[in-house]
Amino acid sequence: GLMNVPMDATTRRWRDIARRFAEERLIPHEVDAEMNEGRLPPGVSKAHAVEARDLGFSAMDVPLEYGGLALRQVDQVAVWEQLGRVTNALCWCFSEPHRWMFEARTPGQLERYVLPLMRGERKECYAITEAESGSDVVVNTTASQVEGGYRVTGEKWYVTSFNHADFLFVQARLDGGPHAGEDVLLFVDADSEGIDVQRTPAFSHTFDHHHPELRFNGVFVPEANLIGKEGGGMAWSHAWFRRERLMIAARSCGAMARLVEEATAFARTRAVSGEMLLDKQLVQAMLADSVTDLWAARLMTYETAAADDRGDDVKALHARCSLAKLFATEAAGRVADRAQQIFGGRGYLRENCAERFARELRVDRIWEGASEVQRLVIARQLAKRGLDGM
């Protein structure tokens, strides 16, 4: 269609695989999930996980030498765009090891933590954010060096998917030794002694993935679980942020496409004052603005992915991922709001995807760097490199 960005046969194939999975397997279960605290019957969830793995989603970013598919970023964006059409985090049914994990790890870590993610045998979560942090990276959780490893003490907030995970990526600050004050990234098993769930707050969305506040009470972590080297954790976090920001942009595009399609279909069948809603100019304007938002977001997202595949300068890429996330998430919020308005009272029903998207897309302007932080990243790049250098 005209709204498609230029794609080669490989990207189109991955787009179609993900589209079918989203439409046939996941979307039919959304309302069921919404009415049951995000949960589906265990057999259904398991079937989704197995199928996602068998389709290759867990191996997309894994290098070939480890049995992965090493897909280009444009192919992965095409997959995540289609998965973004789904509400209730039903598309989070698989784990996905990322390229940076293969640069950061030892052979032992690979066998114990990273490759089992690809095979669907383990589930991970990230314990990065703290009560004092958020837009500002503040790491007060400490790692004290003890014989054979570290003891980790502190609190972590918003540990997404902890209720499904069997290990965590934990960011902590060294409080002694030659790298005192610098940060480390560690693999920590979820059943380690001394990890306490302080509370599991309820959030706007209806997901079966919880975001608890955790307390680490001197949790012992063996030296073998250090990712990379002491003081090197932030580089991996940056690689992770770039990828997450780009894929959030991709998911936002998928959400916008579904919202536009559903709102248009409704407006085509709904009669108001003797004419179809779709023939009302105020509604046409809302839909036109939504299509424009979507088209711009898609172009930015796919071009950023293509720049990564070309091997463009990593600092310029960092800015582009921020640009894509900023624009796509802000645009998706506008589109969800317009779609709700077009649906009228029906748009306020939880069984309507526009109502769910209005709640769920809201957090994309906050997590993995709030919109304000993305603006700072972009402005700093502009100041340092000028427009052409970005």
Side-chain angles (χ1 to χ4, degrees):
L2 291 176
M3 282 301 293
N4 282 330
V5 291
M7 288 182 187
D8 65 17
T10 303
T11 307
R12 284 198 302 274
R13 188 170 68 81
W14 279 104
R15 176 198 64 194
D16 294 346
I17 288 169
R19 176 67 172 257
R20 269 197 306 278
F21 182 62
E23 297 286 340
E24 294 170 15
R25 296 287 182 265
L26 303 181
I27 287 175
H29 295 284
E30 288 175 343
V31 176
D32 198 20
E34 180 62 39
M35 297 306 155
N36 290 286
E37 300 185 331
R39 283 194 296 276
L40 296 178
V44 175
S45 296
K46 179 80 181 129
H48 290 165
V50 170
E51 188 172 350
R53 185 200 63 201
D54 291 349
L55 287 171
F57 297 157
S58 294
M60 292 194 293
D61 207 37
V62 177
L64 296 172
E65 61 264 37
Y66 300 108
L69 297 170
L71 293 193
R72 297 168 303 175
Q73 293 295 299
V74 288
D75 304 327
Q76 296 185 52
V77 157
V79 167
W80 276 111
E81 180 179 18
Q82 296 308 318
L83 296 180
R85 296 175 64 85
V86 183
T87 64
N88 300 89
L90 297 184
C91 65
W92 295 4
C93 54
F94 61 96
S95 284
E96 204 189 7
H98 301 147
R99 271 184 310 191
W100 66 265
M101 294 180 192
F102 292 85
E103 297 166 27
R105 54 78 211 129
T106 64
Q109 292 171 359
L110 195 70
E111 291 308 321
R112 283 208 317 282
Y113 296 105
V114 181
L115 289 173
L117 290 180
M118 179 176 76
R119 296 192 294 259
E121 295 162 5
R122 298 199 76 168
K123 293 287 272 182
E124 83 289 16
C125 65
Y126 293 84
I128 307 288
T129 306
E130 304 193 4
E132 280 77 32
S133 73
S135 297
D136 222 8
V137 181
V138 177
V139 182
N140 289 326
T141 295
T142 55
S144 308
Q145 283 158 320
V146 293
E147 197 178 336
Y150 305 91
R151 285 214 177 269
V152 176
T153 303
E155 260 184 41
K156 291 289 183 182
W157 280 36
Y158 312 136
V159 184
T160 299
S161 304
F162 178 75
N163 57 316
H164 294 298
D166 56 12
F167 74 89
L168 308 89
F169 288 89
V170 178
Q171 194 164 28
R173 190 169 44 79
L174 292 162
D175 68 352
H179 297 279
E182 294 183 53
D183 63 285
V184 285
L185 202 57
L186 304 163
F187 286 111
V188 180
D189 290 303
D191 60 2
S192 301
E193 204 178 323
I195 301 179
D196 293 332
V197 177
Q198 303 271 73
R199 68 187 197 112
T200 301
F203 287 85
S204 295
H205 53 226
T206 313
F207 291 3
D208 186 30
H209 294 259
H210 302 161
H211 317 268
E213 295 164 17
L214 302 183
R215 174 93 203 146
F216 292 79
N217 300 300
V219 177
F220 178 72
V221 182
E223 200 174 340
N225 285 18
L226 171 68
I227 300 172
K229 57 184 194 297
E230 289 191 346
M234 224 32 176
W236 310 126
S237 294
H238 280 147
W240 179 61
F241 271 135
R242 273 194 301 280
R243 185 197 157 74
E244 284 297 300
R245 286 166 182 173
L246 184 59
M247 297 308 159
I248 286 171
R251 292 205 306 269
S252 296
C253 291
M256 282 189 269
R258 182 166 171 211
L259 285 160
V260 168
E261 287 162 12
E262 299 231 2
T264 306
F266 175 73
R268 187 175 273 124
T269 59
R270 175 89 168 136
V272 178
S273 310
E275 64 177 354
M276 287 303 156
L277 203 53
L278 192 55
D279 295 322
K280 302 281 188 193
Q281 287 183 336
L282 288 173
V283 171
Q284 290 174 342
M286 285 195 275
L287 290 169
D289 286 345
S290 297
V291 170
T292 306
D293 271 336
L294 168 59
W295 184 221
R298 295 195 80 204
L299 290 170
M300 289 175 83
T301 302
Y302 277 88
E303 168 51 30
T304 301
D308 194 343
D309 292 331
R310 291 193 299 264
D312 282 17
D313 175 76
V314 73
K315 285 204 162 62
L317 266 178
H318 208 71
R320 283 189 216 181
C321 289
S322 287
L323 282 157
K325 180 188 185 280
L326 172 65
F327 186 83
T329 58
E330 294 282 339
R334 293 191 291 269
V335 172
D337 191 66
R338 292 182 198 121
Q340 265 197 302
Q341 195 69 12
I342 291 167
F343 277 112
R346 291 169 177 78
Y348 206 54
L349 292 168
R350 283 170 62 191
E351 68 199 43
N352 187 311
C353 79
E355 189 278 339
R356 298 193 300 279
F357 273 128
R359 281 181 289 123
E360 294 179 14
L361 291 168
R362 186 64 188 82
V363 75
D364 288 331
R365 288 182 268 160
I366 297 169
W367 63 13
E368 317 320 337
S371 287
E372 291 71 22
V373 171
Q374 309 308 335
R375 290 183 175 106
L376 294 181
V377 171
I378 296 159
R380 284 175 193 147
Q381 286 272 350
L382 177 63
K384 270 190 200 142
R385 305 159 76 89
L387 199 51
D388 288 345
M390 293 178 76

